[in-house]
Amino acid sequence: MEALLQNTFLFLSKNKLANRAAKKYGLRFGASRFVAGEQIAEAIDAVRELNKLGIVATLDHLGEFVSTKEETLHGTDCCIRTLDAIHEAKVKSNLSLKMTSLGLDISRELCMDNMRQILDRAKQYGNFVRIDMEDHARNEASLDIFYELRETYGETIGIVIQAYLYKSEADIEALNRVKPNLRLVKGAYKEPAEVAFPRKADVDANYNKIIEQHLMNGNYAAIATHDENVINHVKQFVKKHNIPNSQFEFQMLYGIKVGQQKSLANDGYTMRVYVPYGNDWYGYFMRRLAERPANVWFVLKSMFKR
């Protein structure tokens, strides 16, 4: 039953008709638990509250799979305005983005132009931009762009590696030559068995493996998980190998395991929360439900309260 729900939500996450309806009706029926709001001011307020708890953030203006140049320019402007808002509010947050919202599927040149505008602003402010990895069909193109931008922008830019892909171990070894800041995740897209581990146990094992690999290479790791087994494994691993807390951080999603976020921050670990905002929230919301179908119960309760 759980697998059926997961597949259903992943299918719905790419349904353009449902996405249009979601934009029309706004953040209803539980989505506001996982999305900070539709406007940047709401997102900044959410980050400010996290900062008060000793938690840092990464803001993401939601948007993906756009089809026109005009949409990419709007996405670029939103990213730049997010960096401006972070700087003006003096909150502790960096920026995450998806390159499909900046033209990855339209033109590499267009995407690169948009990325450079964003990174120029981030570098001006001394901030950091993370490229979120999307489905496997865009993996190689994303890495190729990252390598090129890394040459110009250095530590201003980082990227994500997904443990469910067979190729990730080799990717991390290849990336080691540029000493990157990597966000390590299990992966949230529906992928074929030809490119990704179909069994959860294999994904979990590979996740621990690539975390260890990246840390032992001496590079900064953003460990994005809500899995307590992984968190405990990392704590034991870094202690055993004398890896300082300054070489890694834990990351979680906005609205999920809030108590654990506070606990990790209180224990002296860098805790960063991924804070999404914007009106194009539908695909992100569906993937959160797919990751943990138990969240559906929360959504249903929200519906009946209205």
Side-chain angles (χ1 to χ4, degrees), residues 54-74:
I55 298 170
V56 293
T58 183
L59 278 168
D60 180 9
H61 180 264
L62 294 171
E64 53 192 295
F65 305 120
V66 301
S67 57
T68 68
K69 180 179 179 180
E70 289 70 28
E71 287 176 305
T72 75
L73 297 179
H74 173 71

Side-chain angles (χ1 to χ4, degrees), residues 14-33:
K14 297 183 178 181
N15 187 292
K16 293 183 178 180
L17 182 63
N19 194 359
R20 286 197 294 271
K23 286 183 180 180
K24 180 179 178 181
Y25 291 106
L27 286 169
R28 300 183 184 180
F29 309 134
S32 59
R33 176 182 179 180

Side-chain angles (χ1 to χ4, degrees), residues 210-254:
I210 65 172
I211 290 170
E212 293 175 5
Q213 177 188 8
H214 191 55
L215 287 171
M216 291 304 290
N217 281 343
N219 301 318
Y220 193 86
I223 300 157
T225 185
H226 302 101
D227 188 332
E228 291 186 33
N229 291 327
V230 172
I231 292 169
N232 289 332
H233 177 80
V234 170
K235 288 179 178 179
Q236 293 167 12
F237 183 81
V238 297
K239 185 176 181 179
K240 178 180 178 182
H241 294 277
N242 296 312
I243 295 170
N245 287 1
S246 58
Q247 194 186 321
F248 69 95
E249 65 187 46
F250 290 113
Q251 293 191 354
M252 293 187 187
L253 300 175
Y254 181 74

